[in-house]
Amino acid sequence: MISGRIFAVALLLMPFTAGAAQRADTVRLSVADALTRVLRESDEMKIGLAQLSVTDAQVTQARAAGLPALNLRGSYTQQTKNARANIVSASVFGQSYNYVTSLALTQPIFQGGRIWAGMRAAGDARDASRHNLEETR
């Protein structure tokens, strides 16, 4: 019987607690503040900004394909025991340390227009992403 009374009291007090919770949850905003908040926190805006970032990176990558590249490589080996050095002493084979270094400069000269077409396509994708972002705004 006590649980029935508790249930009845809880049932009577429920509308008052719901109204207080709703009042605490309400945020008063002007139209300008609401638009600023939507532009800052909207999922569509975040997706549009991420797509713009990706297409900017693709433009940089396409441009880099036509630039010269400079590669430096090196290696070092050490042999603790060399069978050739044991057979023939005091010769070239007696060296236990080997160093190899190479430097290569490459520049694409002609690739059938592939670099320029890639740069143009990446630029068009970036422009489309910018227009999509503006449309979302």
Side-chain angles (χ1 to χ4, degrees):
M1 188 73 173
I2 293 176
S3 64
R5 287 184 188 171
I6 292 174
F7 179 71
V9 170
L11 191 60
L12 289 174
L13 292 177
M14 188 179 292
F16 299 112
T17 58
Q22 186 176 9
R23 271 185 251 114
D25 193 341
T26 303
V27 176
R28 304 243 182 242
L29 292 175
S30 68
V31 174
D33 291 339
L35 285 174
T36 303
R37 189 172 184 178
V38 164
L39 289 176
R40 187 180 62 233
E41 297 176 8
S42 169
D43 288 339
E44 288 85 8
M45 286 300 296
K46 290 178 184 177
I47 290 170
L49 289 170
Q51 287 176 342
L52 183 61
S53 170
V54 167
T55 54
D56 281 340
Q58 287 174 345
V59 167
T60 303
Q61 184 180 11
R63 210 176 273 147
L67 297 176
L70 183 65
N71 296 320
L72 175 66
R73 295 183 183 152
S75 67
Y76 160 77
T77 58
Q78 178 183 4
Q79 296 177 349
T80 55
K81 201 153 194 150
N82 191 338
R84 290 183 202 157
N86 291 338
I87 296 171
V88 181
S89 62
S91 71
V92 142
F93 298 114
Q95 298 174 357
S96 58
Y97 299 101
N98 294 320
Y99 302 96
V100 177
T101 305
S102 65
L103 182 66
L105 177 65
T106 57
Q107 169 66 51
I109 295 173
F110 179 73
Q111 293 187 352
R114 182 172 57 171
I115 294 172
W116 293 108
M119 289 173 58
R120 195 174 327 119
D124 291 345
R126 180 178 54 188
D127 291 342
S129 181
R130 282 184 183 156
H131 290 302
N132 188 19
L133 186 61
E134 288 300 319
E135 184 179 319
T136 303
R137 287 185 182 164

